[in-house]
Amino acid sequence: MRRKDRGITDRTEMEAILNEAMVCRIGLADGGEPYIVPLSFGYADGSVYLHSTPEASKNLSGSLKTFRSSRISNQMTFDTSPVPSPAGFDGKKITMIRKNPRCCFEVDFCDQVIRSDKPCSWGMRYRSVIGYGRAAILDDPGEKRHGLNCIMQHYGGGTHEFSDTDIASVTVIRIRIESMTGKKHD
């Protein structure tokens, strides 16, 4: 960090920024292709939680549907029970996490432009955190429920009971934070 006077070393202060931020940007890489995406998130116990809808469900009006036809009765039915999203149906974020779980994340607050007579002397009041870790796609329903509740609590939504159908229809990602740094300008 070039400006050591602006660095945040206190983990409690960095966690306060994580708890107050509204958007988390994650950075992923697949070979030479970087990708950054802004997401809703939750933070708890040294982990960032994110969620994603499996790509297959986006393509089928919000639920995973399979078509069955019966030759005997000429009846057609749709089975709307949840089915796991095969890796081939994942979106870019999930595909990249499956290939390379190493990632970084960033949250920030920028709340005031600091003007000056000289254009190159302008500044910004801000607080930010950048962290590194490994993203894991959660399979365990209990872990998924915990992650979703962390996200709900982050935005003031309290905790909820999620049905098995809800849990099966969402992808929950946990990033265990391995390191993070903070920076601010007051």
Side-chain angles (χ1 to χ4, degrees):
M1 182 178 305
R2 186 178 63 81
R3 296 286 308 260
K4 301 275 187 213
D5 60 316
R6 295 188 181 167
I8 300 171
T9 56
D10 179 50
R11 184 169 181 103
T12 302
E13 189 173 356
M14 287 184 268
E15 287 178 337
I17 295 168
L18 282 168
N19 285 321
E20 293 174 36
M22 290 287 107
V23 176
C24 178
R25 293 162 191 86
I26 62 167
L28 304 166
D30 180 12
E33 181 183 352
Y35 180 64
I36 298 172
V37 60
L39 298 162
S40 299
F41 75 106
Y43 171 75
D45 306 318
S47 294
V48 171
Y49 292 91
L50 314 161
H51 69 90
S52 181
T53 303
E55 193 65 28
S57 68
K58 293 178 193 172
N59 294 333
L60 296 169
S61 302
S63 63
L64 298 174
K65 297 178 180 166
T66 57
F67 174 75
R68 288 193 311 243
S69 174
S70 170
R71 291 182 184 202
I72 297 171
S73 64
N74 276 339
Q75 290 181 331
M76 295 180 285
T77 61
F78 290 92
D79 179 1
T80 58
S81 59
V83 292
S85 173
F89 287 104
D90 291 331
K92 186 170 191 162
K93 169 180 66 235
I94 300 300
T95 298
M96 291 180 86
I97 288 170
R98 288 187 196 283
K99 287 182 179 179
N100 179 7
R102 295 281 310 146
C103 63
C104 69
F105 67 89
E106 186 273 347
V107 301
D108 60 65
F109 292 97
C110 299
D111 60 4
Q112 182 185 359
V113 173
I114 302 168
R115 298 175 185 268
S116 174
D117 292 338
K118 298 179 182 180
C120 292
S121 296
W122 283 40
M124 178 80 66
R125 258 182 37 147
Y126 66 87
R127 295 179 295 147
S128 65
V129 170
I130 296 175
Y132 297 88
R134 290 187 179 277
I137 297 167
L138 301 179
D139 294 320
D140 179 74
E143 289 180 335
K144 290 174 81 170
R145 282 182 174 87
H146 174 72
L148 290 172
N149 272 315
C150 287
I151 295 167
M152 293 298 297
Q153 287 174 353
H154 185 82
Y155 296 99
T159 58
H160 294 269
E161 293 295 323
F162 295 97
S163 71
D164 291 341
T165 302
D166 293 337
I167 293 300
S169 68
V170 68
T171 301
V172 179
I173 303 155
R174 178 188 60 229
I175 301 172
R176 287 195 197 270
I177 300 171
E178 296 172 356
S179 66
M180 64 181 170
T181 59
K183 193 173 175 183
K184 66 182 174 181
H185 182 213
D186 294 321

